Amino acid sequence: MIDYLLFGIALFSALVLYVYEGVLTFMAARLWLRTGRDGLSSRRIIPPLPKDDVLPRLLMQIPLYNERYVIEDLFNALAALSYPADKLTIQILDDSTDDTPGIVQANMSKLEARGFKAVHVRRENRQGYKAGALAEGMLLDDSPFIAIFDADFVPQPNILRQLWAEFDGKDMGLVQAGWDHINGKENVATRLMSLAIDDHFSIEQQGRQELGAWIHFNGTAGMWRREAIVTSGGWQSDTLTEDLDLSFRAQARGWRLKFVDDLKVPCLIPSVMSAIRTQQHRWTKGAAETARKNAGHMLAKKAPFVIRVIDLFHVFNFLMFPAMLLMSLSVALLPLLGFGQTAAYSTLIGILYPLLPLSLLPFFVAGILRARREGKVNPFIVANDTFMLLLMIMGLAMQNTLSVIDGLIGRKSSFVRTPKPPRGQSIGALAQSYKHKLSLKVMVLEGAMVALMLAFMIYAAINLNFFVVLTALYFFLCYAMVIALSLIEIRQETNAAAKAALA
């Protein structure tokens, strides 16, 4: 009986992943076909920068929580904004509990010197977290357009004009810019996360938009029409991904959302494994919570079958993590329980084997196109980085599956910020400023997965099954890579704390 159950789990998980990867491959193929030899689309018409007299009153919201390291760069960028001072209000929505408020106050004069109306908003508590701060800020200002930038973004002088120029109709509710990565080449973590974010924007956001499927606000570097937020129910804090939630509600009400691929805003991305884990937990759990809340909107949408499939996997894309975990678990347990020498198991391995190249394909295509735009086409580097990224994604399957379960069953948790140190700072410096513990339960379970995959690999080697050895080695590398990076970071933090204590 156990063998049938495990076979069934493996096959169902593989089917989910095949469809998911097939959707990504389909969108990546369209991306390839619509671009030229230089990786650029010839269909994009960039609107001219609007003059001062046509620009609307605008509220710019900067939600932040304990962001002491990024305040200087942020305020320097805000002071350089090119927008009529009498039409712009800048809200610093500061829920910080460290010394960030003092640093903010010390920098407010930079905005006042430019003639901008700048307001430092402090709340008595963090009720509603980021969504609560944004909602409270909207009560203090009635500007018809609202730009939102996280504190670790560095908006360019013309970004507000560029975003507003992209509103091409009264039903346009949001314009979302892409992200450029200030510290994208700092270390392995930033290199892989920048690749993952680039792939998300170029394949998923751009791909969905081109097909007419729903896209979503990425929480920052975007401009909303106030009416779209209000008529869609406003900012709500019952999920950890308030941006995704509002996006689905707005589109269900008929508002259009627009992603502009060639408009990018510089930002910092997580530079340590614990910060990546924190961010992944919030995004994955929040996506599951949002699906519970908004799946009905997606199912009620009238659209062609292909668009409905793409939308369905947009809402439920978090399911790829349980699928990856269950697939690797069942494939490893079957031979270890004595079911590895059957024709059925060999067939199963044959079915699973094409998943890796299929998983690599869409991200490799996107990477090649970006390399073309930059004039640095090296397929070997693109392939290596793509493979490393897939190892990390698969390695996070245990943690993210637990996050999915929490989200689906409605288990509440606080909004935990993603700590980002200043460029060039060590992991130890970050650890002394922001306490971010790794879950012992997750680490133990991931360690068990590493041990299981090692046993799986040894079993396959003993039985001289080449294809199974490669499968086992891949799974082993996935889980081992993530836990190794985490353990290295814990050691660095411990050493830094010990040195600080002796100083």
Side-chain angles (χ1 to χ4, degrees), residues 64-71 75 92 94-107 120 122 151 417 434:
L64 57 90
Y65 176 72
N66 294 355
E67 294 282 9
R68 67 188 310 274
Y69 287 128
V70 300
I71 299 301
F75 271 83
I92 309 299
D94 184 6
D95 286 350
S96 299
T97 57
D98 64 355
D99 60 347
T100 296
I103 303 174
V104 169
Q105 281 297 322
N107 281 272
H120 186 193
R122 295 279 291 151
R417 67 178 296 280
Y434 298 113

Side-chain angles (χ1 to χ4, degrees), residues 23-35 41 43 202-203 206-212 306-307 310 365 369:
V23 168
L24 292 181
T25 301
F26 174 68
M27 292 193 293
R30 283 178 55 88
L31 180 70
W32 180 276
L33 293 173
R34 72 176 177 81
T35 57
S41 172
R43 291 183 290 173
S202 61
I203 299 175
Q206 188 67 26
R208 291 173 187 141
Q209 178 167 271
E210 295 251 335
L211 287 164
V306 171
I307 305 304
I310 290 173
V365 167
L369 291 176

Side-chain angles (χ1 to χ4, degrees), residues 256-418:
R256 285 190 299 127
L257 274 55
K258 182 179 183 179
F259 167 61
V260 185
D261 184 43
D262 52 44
L263 186 56
K264 300 184 186 299
V265 182
C267 67
L268 289 169
I269 54 178
S271 57
V272 294
M273 198 63 214
S274 56
I276 291 174
R277 283 180 178 274
T278 296
Q279 190 178 69
Q280 285 291 310
H281 165 73
R282 189 174 71 246
W283 286 354
T284 308
K285 180 180 178 181
E289 293 172 328
T290 302
R292 288 179 68 229
K293 180 179 177 180
N294 292 282
H297 294 320
M298 193 67 74
L299 295 174
K301 179 182 177 182
K302 298 186 183 301
F305 176 75
V306 171
I307 305 304
R308 289 175 68 84
V309 171
I310 290 173
D311 282 340
L312 193 65
F313 271 84
H314 187 182
V315 175
F316 294 102
N317 68 348
F318 57 85
L319 291 178
M320 70 173 181
F321 292 109
M324 288 188 291
L325 179 65
L326 290 173
M327 183 185 68
S328 59
L329 263 173
S330 54
V331 170
L333 286 173
L334 275 166
L336 295 176
L337 294 176
F339 305 109
Q341 300 301 319
T342 65
Y345 187 75
S346 299
T347 303
L348 176 63
I349 293 296
I351 292 172
L352 297 180
Y353 223 71
L355 266 178
L356 178 58
L358 180 62
S359 301
L360 287 167
L361 182 59
F363 304 114
F364 179 75
V365 167
I368 288 294
L369 291 176
R370 285 195 297 272
R372 281 183 180 178
R373 288 198 293 269
E374 298 169 1
K376 304 173 183 178
V377 182
N378 188 326
F380 296 105
I381 293 177
V382 174
N384 176 75
D385 287 352
T386 301
F387 182 69
M388 291 284 288
L389 173 62
L390 290 179
L391 289 181
M392 185 177 74
I393 291 173
M394 179 78 183
L396 289 167
M398 175 61 76
Q399 171 197 288
N400 286 351
T401 296
L402 297 175
S403 301
V404 167
I405 294 171
D406 283 351
L408 291 178
I409 66 176
R411 182 179 294 156
K412 296 300 180 182
S413 61
S414 61
F415 185 104
V416 181
R417 67 178 296 280
T418 305

Side-chain angles (χ1 to χ4, degrees), residues 128-141:
Y129 304 108
K130 181 177 178 180
L134 294 171
E136 183 163 325
M138 285 182 64
L139 296 176
L140 305 176
D141 188 279

Side-chain angles (χ1 to χ4, degrees), residues 17 42 54 87 127 156 168 174 198 230 261 297 301 315 317 350 362 421 433 441 458 467 475-476 482:
L17 292 172
S42 59
V54 301
K87 293 184 177 182
Q127 184 175 355
Q156 310 95 313
D168 56 11
L174 165 79
D198 286 343
V230 173
D261 184 43
H297 294 320
K301 179 182 177 182
V315 175
N317 68 348
S433 299
K441 177 179 70 174
I458 292 171
F467 289 109
F475 289 148
F476 173 77
V482 168

Side-chain angles (χ1 to χ4, degrees), residues 49-56 84 87 161 164:
L49 287 179
K51 302 296 184 181
D52 287 5
D53 58 338
V54 301
L55 289 170
K87 293 184 177 182
R161 293 177 186 264
W164 187 79

